[in-house]
């Protein structure tokens, strides 16, 4: 039955009002603030300033140095952060746990700049690339102060496999005198130990973990520092000579030593068996207060010059295929920043870990660190 005109008109007016309300641009409602939580020593000097200048959005930038710390904030909720940068295998746990918001790709046209191979690698943990955009990537490895290590080893030659330096007590006993630092997180140390034992770094098979506590226990007396950030300056100024650390961080230490003329010759090593790869990813917490601004930031980072600027400053590779021409030759040609295909084949890729696996990594690590 046809409705009386007035009712029809009211219905139409209502629909118009509703359509207007829905199509009102959301970005305009969002305050001009963006809260970012990222790793320490992981951004260029002008990245934030240029974004602020261009968009008028004020960035508040906090730092962390382990996935565990970031995860605890996301699990607690109401972190206030709009963009966080978990490693991909953590981001998978977070996406599965409903802690992240799906990206709106219509707001990320610069996704076109990303290398399809890296996107495919991420898609192993994030099918359809729905939650994560790679910030930078690198690998866990061994860094050394070349002269101090040689002096400490004395008549012992350098091992063929750099991992021996940190996992073989014979080497560690000598290196203790010049200072050995280990990353301070279960999900970095345990995968490196598994890799050294020839097991998958993110194994889901409990039996693979059996040799790890003993391996770690034997070198524990010689670890002089646990650090995932301060070790950069400690390497640069010569107060430690070996680090089980991250590729870019060791290169940052190298460049700080050169710039600061500290006289320390720092080198990131490519172990014979490879390193353990990580892909740190921009993601938006489910309760982010400024999701539109978050998308603007992510899209800005994916500009070739911006992504290249990060790599030039912190010596981690980026996923941006269009950025290559903006990368300084000395960085582009550094095989520890962009390892060859042959090196890449040897590296362990991050794999999804269950919460149970993660907890058992924490148990093993805590026992190791506290030395009980
Ligand atoms: C930044 C190190 C981040 C690499 N300093 C570990 N995901």
């Amino acid at each position: 039955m046809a409705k009386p005109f007035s009712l029809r008109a009211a219905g139409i007016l209502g629909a118009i009002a509703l359509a207007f309300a829905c199509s009102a641009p959301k970005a305009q409602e969002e305050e001009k603030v963006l809260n970012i939580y990222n790793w320490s020593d992981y951004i260029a000097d002008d990245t934030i300033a240029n974004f602020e200048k261009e968009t008028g959005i004020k960035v508040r930038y906090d730092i962390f140095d382990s996935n565990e710390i970031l995860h605890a904030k996301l699990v607690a909720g109401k972190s206030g952060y709009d963009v966080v940068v978990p490693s991909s295998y953590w981001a998978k746990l977070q996406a599965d746990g409903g802690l992240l918001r799906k990206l709106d790709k219509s707001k990320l046209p610069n996704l076109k700049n990303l290398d399809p191979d890296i996107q495919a690698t991420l898609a192993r943990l994030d099918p359809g690339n729905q939650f994560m955009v790679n910030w930078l990537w690198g690998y866990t490895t061994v860094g050394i102060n070349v002269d101090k290590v040689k002096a400490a080893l004395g008549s012992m030659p350098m091992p063929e496999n750099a991992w021996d330096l940190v996992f073989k007590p014979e080497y560690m006993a000598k290196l203790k005198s010049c200072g050995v630092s280990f990353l301070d997180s279960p999900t970095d140390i345990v995968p490196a130990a598994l890799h050294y034992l020839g097991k998958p770094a993110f194994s889901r098979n409990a039996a693979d973990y059996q040799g790890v506590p003993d391996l770690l226990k034997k070198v524990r007396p010689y670890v002089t520092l646990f650090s995932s950030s301060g070790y950069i300056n400690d390497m640069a100024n010569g107060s430690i000579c070996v680090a089980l650390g991250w590729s870019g961080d060791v290169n940052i230490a190298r460049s700080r030593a050169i710039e600061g003329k500290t006289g320390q010759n720092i080198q990131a090593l490519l172990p014979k068996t490879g390193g353990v790869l990580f892909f740190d990813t921009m993601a938006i917490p489910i309760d982010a207060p400024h999701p539109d601004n978050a998308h603007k930031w992510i899209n800005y980072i994916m500009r070739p010059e911006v992504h290249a600027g990060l790599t030039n400053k912190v010596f981690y590779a980026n996923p941006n295929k269009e950025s290559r021409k903006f990368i300084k030759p000395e960085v582009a040609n550094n095989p520890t920043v962009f390892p060859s295909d042959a090196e890449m084949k040897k590296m362990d890729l991050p794999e999804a870990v269950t919460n149970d696996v993660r907890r058992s990594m924490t148990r093993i690590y805590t026992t190791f660190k506290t030395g009980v």
Side-chain angles (χ1 to χ4, degrees):
M1 202 176 76
K3 286 182 183 155
F5 175 75
S6 57
L7 266 186
R8 257 188 295 151
I12 290 164
L13 281 176
I16 290 170
L18 192 66
F20 183 75
C22 292
S23 70
K26 255 199 143 174
Q28 278 174 18
E29 293 163 16
E30 232 172 52
E31 60 174 338
K32 293 229 158 208
V33 170
L34 178 67
N35 299 316
I36 300 178
Y37 198 36
N38 197 357
W39 298 81
S40 48
D41 293 295
Y42 220 27
I43 193 161
D45 300 332
D46 59 357
T47 317
I48 292 172
N50 289 346
F51 177 79
E52 288 182 329
K53 210 185 314 162
E54 186 176 307
T55 60
I57 295 169
K58 169 88 194 119
V59 173
R60 294 194 202 115
Y61 191 81
D62 290 341
I63 52 174
F64 58 86
D65 69 2
S66 81
N67 276 299
E68 282 80 358
I69 295 173
L70 165 58
H71 190 67
K73 293 234 174 177
L74 293 180
V75 169
K78 297 207 175 78
S79 69
Y81 291 117
D82 299 303
V83 178
V84 292
V85 190
S87 299
S88 58
Y89 61 102
W90 282 89
K92 177 181 168 45
L93 270 180
Q94 291 151 6
D96 289 350
L99 299 174
L100 301 179
R101 178 185 179 115
K102 245 186 219 168
L103 299 169
D104 179 347
K105 292 189 189 178
S106 71
K107 294 179 181 160
L108 302 173
N110 287 337
L111 279 168
K112 68 178 187 306
N113 297 334
L114 299 194
D115 180 343
D117 287 349
I118 304 264
Q119 287 292 76
T121 301
L122 277 185
R124 298 166 72 244
L125 298 177
D126 177 24
N129 300 104
Q130 296 190 89
F131 291 95
M132 316 175 196
V133 171
N134 183 215
W135 170 264
L136 293 171
W137 61 268
Y139 52 97
T140 306
T141 188
V142 180
I144 59 167
N145 182 316
V146 178
D147 307 319
K148 284 189 188 254
V149 165
K150 274 196 188 133
L153 292 183
S155 57
M156 250 182 143
M158 276 287 280
E160 227 190 300
N161 180 7
W163 288 117
D164 285 348
L165 289 173
V166 291
F167 287 127
K168 269 209 169 140
E170 304 89 288
Y171 291 99
M172 285 287 275
K174 302 213 174 228
L175 297 168
K176 182 182 183 189
S177 61
C178 56
V180 180
S181 173
F182 269 41
L183 289 171
D184 192 10
S185 112
T187 49
D188 286 293
I189 295 302
V190 175
L194 281 167
H195 170 88
Y196 183 68
L197 293 172
K199 311 287 185 201
F202 296 89
S203 175
R204 291 203 195 190
N205 177 359
D208 286 344
Y209 287 76
Q210 271 167 19
V212 175
D214 190 51
L215 175 76
L216 292 175
K217 189 174 181 178
K218 291 203 166 108
V219 296
R220 177 65 186 89
Y222 314 115
V223 178
T224 60
L225 176 71
F226 286 92
S227 168
S228 299
S229 45
Y231 76 103
I232 298 179
N233 281 341
D234 291 332
M235 283 214 102
N237 67 29
S239 57
I240 57 164
C241 64
V242 179
L244 196 178
W246 294 308
S247 51
D249 287 10
V250 178
N251 276 302
I252 296 174
R254 176 184 171 77
S255 93
R256 285 187 191 163
I258 293 168
E259 276 164 26
K261 300 196 171 57
T262 67
Q264 312 300 325
N265 178 10
I266 312 298
Q267 184 64 50
L269 302 177
L270 283 160
K272 189 169 173 242
T273 57
V276 181
L277 285 170
F278 59 79
F279 297 84
D280 294 330
T281 65
M282 293 181 275
I284 304 178
I286 191 77
D287 55 1
H290 312 102
D292 281 314
N293 296 345
H295 283 88
K296 283 188 183 133
W297 171 260
I298 295 171
N299 198 49
Y300 161 78
I301 293 299
M302 289 188 290
R303 286 186 196 166
E305 317 85 279
V306 177
H307 239 149
L310 302 181
T311 297
N312 283 334
K313 174 75 184 179
V314 298
F315 307 99
Y316 287 100
N318 70 59
N320 198 312
K321 63 180 174 6
E322 304 302 325
S323 81
R324 298 297 135 86
K325 51 185 171 295
F326 300 106
I327 295 179
K328 294 185 202 156
E330 68 267 30
V331 178
N333 298 326
N334 180 338
T336 69
V337 180
F338 292 98
S340 66
D341 289 349
E343 293 290 348
M344 289 300 286
K345 279 209 187 80
K346 296 190 283 186
M347 304 236 184
D348 264 304
L349 276 175
E351 299 288 347
V353 290
T354 59
N355 275 317
D356 279 351
V357 166
R358 201 167 57 75
R359 284 189 201 107
S360 75
M361 287 188 182
T362 304
R363 269 196 302 275
I364 292 172
Y365 179 76
T366 308
T367 306
F368 161 59
K369 187 176 172 183
T370 56
V372 283

